[in-house]
Amino acid sequence: HHVRGLDPSRALKSSRAVAGRTLATSRRLVGSMPGMISALSSARMLPQSAHKVGSVLGPATPEQRRQVDAILTSRLDELEGCGPQQWGDEAARILHSLDPAGAAARHQAAKRERHVTVRRTDHGMARITALVPGIDGARIRRDSTSRPRAPAPRATGAVTSRSWPTSSPTR
């Protein structure tokens, strides 16, 4: 991922992982999505929206990307002003309509990109960022927001992993 001896993460002032993903989506856009490049250059979409579309179409073939690009480009009037998530959702819907049978393979490709990042924050806390399959994300959210359960009586008094600390809203 080095461009003529330059570390892209330094040029983009981001982590190597973020810089790598940015370059990958940029390559997809330039390589097979001329309509998105045109919309971007004419300020009809935000750069974040273009990158979201490029990210969503990561597991797609170049031909599928060209097809999604053509459909999105034909719908610029209704998509103009939408945010990145809406652009990405629309790209995903179009891709699924073009190749519903490929959804499982795209999901498997996306699962290979899963990761967890833990960063320390103030006062002994940590920020956790994770890319996981949706079902796992739903379980994590459910378990982290449920009321803490009293640990089963034990001789050691250890707290179980199911006893998540939660904060209650201040009033």
Side-chain angles (χ1 to χ4, degrees):
H1 288 121
H2 289 280
V3 180
R4 294 185 185 153
L6 178 67
D7 180 1
S9 64
R10 294 183 77 182
L12 295 172
K13 295 183 179 164
S14 62
S15 70
R16 286 181 181 222
V18 169
R21 287 192 299 273
T22 300
L23 288 174
T25 59
S26 297
R27 283 188 198 104
R28 284 182 210 119
L29 289 163
V30 169
S32 50
M33 304 190 76
M36 296 298 94
I37 294 295
S38 176
L40 188 57
S41 67
S42 63
R44 296 191 72 188
M45 76 186 306
L46 297 171
Q48 298 90 329
S49 299
H51 280 288
K52 182 65 175 178
V53 170
S55 176
V56 165
L57 297 178
T61 67
E63 179 55 32
Q64 289 170 331
R65 288 184 202 127
R66 281 188 279 279
Q67 291 173 325
V68 172
D69 179 67
I71 294 168
L72 287 173
T73 302
S74 73
R75 299 185 50 216
L76 275 177
D77 287 340
E78 61 188 270
L79 290 169
E80 195 170 353
C82 288
Q85 192 62 51
Q86 292 164 305
W87 277 93
D89 290 348
E90 193 58 27
R93 275 192 287 278
I94 294 167
L95 179 59
H96 185 76
S97 71
L98 292 172
D99 181 24
R106 288 190 297 274
H107 178 70
Q108 290 306 315
K111 279 176 72 172
R112 288 191 292 274
E113 300 297 319
R114 64 185 167 201
H115 62 272
V116 175
T117 304
V118 179
R119 290 186 179 92
R120 67 189 158 121
T121 63
D122 298 335
H123 311 292
M125 300 298 288
R127 181 172 317 281
I128 301 171
T129 306
L131 178 64
V132 297
I135 190 79
D136 294 338
R139 285 186 193 126
I140 291 167
R141 182 167 180 81
R142 179 198 65 210
D143 291 349
S144 69
T145 59
S146 64
R147 300 298 308 159
R149 297 179 185 170
R154 294 183 181 178
T156 63
V159 177
T160 67
S161 63
R162 298 282 299 164
S163 300
W164 288 85
T166 58
S167 60
S168 57
T170 57
R171 294 188 190 226

